[in-house]
Amino acid sequence: MEHVLNYKTIAGVRWTVKTLTDRGRGSQENEFGADFLAALELEIEGYQIAKGFLAQSKRIEPSQTFSRQEFSRLQEQCSKMLSHSSASFVFLYSQQSGIVVVPAMEIITARYCNPHELISKPMKKFYQEHFECFIGDQKICSANPQALEELRNLRNRYEANRLVMLYGYSEPV
Protein backbone atom coordinates (compact mmCIF):
# COMPACT_ATOMS: atom_id res chain seq x y z
CA MET A 1 0.00 0.00 0.00
CA GLU A 2 2.71 2.43 0.97
CA HIS A 3 4.59 1.93 -2.31
CA VAL A 4 1.45 2.13 -4.45
CA LEU A 5 -0.54 4.97 -2.83
CA ASN A 6 1.75 7.15 -0.71
CA TYR A 7 1.64 10.82 -1.82
CA LYS A 8 -0.44 9.94 -4.90
CA THR A 9 -3.55 11.82 -5.99
CA ILE A 10 -6.29 9.55 -7.35
CA ALA A 11 -9.75 10.86 -8.33
CA GLY A 12 -9.00 14.16 -6.57
CA VAL A 13 -8.01 12.50 -3.29
CA ARG A 14 -4.45 12.85 -1.99
CA TRP A 15 -3.28 9.75 -0.09
CA THR A 16 -0.67 9.25 2.58
CA VAL A 17 0.07 5.74 3.82
CA LYS A 18 2.09 4.64 6.82
CA THR A 19 2.95 1.09 7.83
CA LEU A 20 4.02 1.02 11.45
CA THR A 21 7.07 -1.02 12.37
CA ASP A 22 6.66 -4.47 13.85
CA ARG A 23 10.25 -5.55 14.44
CA GLY A 24 12.51 -5.06 17.40
CA ARG A 25 12.18 -3.80 20.91
CA GLY A 26 10.03 -0.70 21.21
CA SER A 27 8.62 -1.09 17.70
CA GLN A 28 5.35 0.67 17.03
CA GLU A 29 3.46 -2.61 16.83
CA ASN A 30 5.45 -4.95 19.04
CA GLU A 31 2.32 -5.93 20.98
CA PHE A 32 -0.13 -6.64 18.09
CA GLY A 33 -1.25 -10.26 17.46
CA ALA A 34 -3.54 -10.39 14.35
CA ASP A 35 -1.74 -10.07 11.05
CA PHE A 36 -2.80 -6.50 10.41
CA LEU A 37 -5.15 -3.69 11.25
CA ALA A 38 -5.97 -1.14 8.57
CA ALA A 39 -7.15 2.34 9.49
CA LEU A 40 -8.51 4.85 6.98
CA GLU A 41 -9.09 8.54 7.52
CA LEU A 42 -10.81 10.60 4.82
CA GLU A 43 -11.42 14.33 4.58
CA ILE A 44 -13.37 15.11 1.42
CA GLU A 45 -15.41 18.23 0.70
CA GLY A 46 -15.88 19.07 4.38
CA TYR A 47 -16.79 15.52 5.40
CA GLN A 48 -14.52 13.46 7.64
CA ILE A 49 -14.58 9.77 8.47
CA ALA A 50 -12.15 7.47 10.22
CA LYS A 51 -12.61 3.71 10.26
CA GLY A 52 -10.78 0.46 9.79
CA PHE A 53 -10.79 -3.32 9.86
CA LEU A 54 -8.90 -6.29 11.28
CA ALA A 55 -7.39 -9.04 9.15
CA GLN A 56 -5.61 -12.35 9.19
CA SER A 57 -3.46 -13.31 6.20
CA LYS A 58 -3.14 -16.85 4.92
CA ARG A 59 -1.30 -18.28 1.94
CA ILE A 60 -3.23 -21.09 0.31
CA GLU A 61 -3.89 -22.09 -3.28
CA PRO A 62 -7.42 -22.98 -4.43
CA SER A 63 -6.18 -26.52 -5.09
CA GLN A 64 -4.80 -26.96 -1.54
CA THR A 65 -6.41 -27.55 1.83
CA PHE A 66 -5.44 -26.64 5.36
CA SER A 67 -5.14 -29.45 7.86
CA ARG A 68 -8.14 -29.66 10.18
CA GLN A 69 -5.92 -28.26 12.93
CA GLU A 70 -4.87 -25.26 10.78
CA PHE A 71 -8.48 -24.59 9.78
CA SER A 72 -9.57 -24.78 13.41
CA ARG A 73 -6.79 -22.33 14.35
CA LEU A 74 -7.99 -19.94 11.61
CA GLN A 75 -11.53 -20.19 13.01
CA GLU A 76 -10.18 -19.33 16.48
CA GLN A 77 -8.28 -16.33 15.09
CA CYS A 78 -11.44 -15.15 13.33
CA SER A 79 -13.50 -15.56 16.51
CA LYS A 80 -10.97 -13.49 18.41
CA MET A 81 -11.03 -10.73 15.78
CA LEU A 82 -14.84 -10.78 15.71
CA SER A 83 -14.93 -10.37 19.48
CA HIS A 84 -13.40 -6.92 18.84
CA SER A 85 -15.06 -5.91 15.58
CA SER A 86 -17.49 -7.21 12.99
CA ALA A 87 -15.17 -5.61 10.39
CA SER A 88 -12.85 -8.65 10.46
CA PHE A 89 -11.55 -10.46 7.40
CA VAL A 90 -9.14 -13.09 6.09
CA PHE A 91 -6.86 -12.16 3.17
CA LEU A 92 -6.08 -15.29 1.15
CA TYR A 93 -2.86 -15.06 -0.87
CA SER A 94 -2.53 -17.34 -3.89
CA GLN A 95 -0.32 -17.45 -6.98
CA GLN A 96 -3.27 -18.84 -8.98
CA SER A 97 -5.95 -16.34 -7.99
CA GLY A 98 -4.09 -13.40 -6.43
CA ILE A 99 -5.48 -11.97 -3.19
CA VAL A 100 -9.10 -12.49 -2.19
CA VAL A 101 -10.82 -11.38 0.99
CA VAL A 102 -13.20 -13.56 3.01
CA PRO A 103 -15.32 -12.23 5.90
CA ALA A 104 -14.20 -13.72 9.23
CA MET A 105 -17.83 -14.60 9.98
CA GLU A 106 -17.84 -16.77 6.85
CA ILE A 107 -14.80 -18.67 8.19
CA ILE A 108 -16.17 -19.34 11.68
CA THR A 109 -19.53 -20.59 10.38
CA ALA A 110 -18.01 -22.81 7.67
CA ARG A 111 -17.51 -26.53 7.73
CA TYR A 112 -13.93 -27.73 7.25
CA CYS A 113 -12.98 -26.66 3.70
CA ASN A 114 -10.57 -24.69 1.60
CA PRO A 115 -11.42 -21.04 2.38
CA HIS A 116 -11.32 -20.30 -1.37
CA GLU A 117 -14.69 -22.13 -1.52
CA LEU A 118 -16.30 -19.47 0.69
CA ILE A 119 -17.83 -16.11 -0.21
CA SER A 120 -15.02 -13.71 -1.10
CA LYS A 121 -14.15 -10.52 -2.95
CA PRO A 122 -11.05 -9.71 -4.99
CA MET A 123 -8.79 -7.41 -2.98
CA LYS A 124 -9.38 -4.49 -5.37
CA LYS A 125 -13.16 -4.72 -4.91
CA PHE A 126 -12.75 -5.05 -1.13
CA TYR A 127 -10.68 -1.87 -0.88
CA GLN A 128 -13.02 -0.05 -3.26
CA GLU A 129 -15.92 -0.84 -0.92
CA HIS A 130 -13.81 0.11 2.10
CA PHE A 131 -12.99 3.51 0.56
CA GLU A 132 -16.65 3.99 -0.44
CA CYS A 133 -17.63 3.35 3.22
CA PHE A 134 -19.50 0.06 2.74
CA ILE A 135 -16.86 -1.70 4.87
CA GLY A 136 -15.26 -0.57 8.11
CA ASP A 137 -15.60 -0.08 11.84
CA GLN A 138 -15.50 3.47 13.20
CA LYS A 139 -14.10 2.17 16.51
CA ILE A 140 -10.89 1.43 14.57
CA CYS A 141 -10.24 5.07 13.77
CA SER A 142 -6.59 5.96 14.31
CA ALA A 143 -5.23 6.73 10.89
CA ASN A 144 -3.01 9.51 12.17
CA PRO A 145 0.65 8.75 12.99
CA GLN A 146 0.64 11.55 15.59
CA ALA A 147 -1.96 9.61 17.59
CA LEU A 148 0.50 6.94 18.72
CA GLU A 149 -0.92 6.94 22.23
CA GLU A 150 -4.28 5.94 20.77
CA LEU A 151 -2.48 3.32 18.70
CA ARG A 152 -1.00 1.85 21.88
CA ASN A 153 -4.58 1.33 23.03
CA LEU A 154 -5.45 -0.25 19.65
CA ARG A 155 -2.35 -2.42 19.94
CA ASN A 156 -3.53 -3.77 23.29
CA ARG A 157 -7.11 -4.23 22.12
CA TYR A 158 -6.66 -5.77 18.67
CA GLU A 159 -3.31 -7.58 18.95
CA ALA A 160 -2.27 -7.07 15.30
CA ASN A 161 1.28 -7.48 13.94
CA ARG A 162 1.00 -4.63 11.43
CA LEU A 163 -1.01 -1.46 11.19
CA VAL A 164 -1.56 0.15 7.81
CA MET A 165 -2.83 3.72 8.08
CA LEU A 166 -4.39 5.42 5.05
CA TYR A 167 -5.17 9.12 5.01
CA GLY A 168 -6.93 10.80 2.10
CA TYR A 169 -8.02 14.39 1.61
CA SER A 170 -9.36 16.46 -1.29
CA GLU A 171 -6.76 18.35 -3.23
CA PRO A 172 -7.57 22.06 -3.62
CA VAL A 173 -8.57 22.79 -7.20
Side-chain angles (χ1 to χ4, degrees), residues 115-159:
H116 283 281
E117 297 172 18
L118 303 174
I119 293 171
S120 65
K121 292 184 182 294
M123 185 179 71
K124 181 178 179 180
K125 178 73 171 161
F126 174 85
Y127 274 107
Q128 177 183 347
E129 291 184 10
H130 180 56
F131 296 156
E132 293 171 342
C133 295
F134 285 101
I135 294 172
D137 182 345
Q138 290 184 327
K139 292 180 296 191
I140 303 172
C141 60
S142 292
N144 183 336
Q146 289 73 35
L148 287 178
E149 202 51 50
E150 290 178 37
L151 293 176
R152 290 186 215 295
N153 294 332
L154 285 176
R155 186 176 299 140
N156 291 331
R157 181 170 178 199
Y158 296 116
E159 300 178 0

Side-chain angles (χ1 to χ4, degrees), residues 5-25:
L5 282 178
N6 207 22
Y7 303 117
K8 301 273 190 317
T9 300
I10 301 170
V13 177
R14 175 88 169 163
W15 294 97
T16 57
V17 181
K18 171 75 172 147
T19 303
L20 298 183
T21 60
D22 71 335
R23 300 279 188 246
R25 187 180 176 126

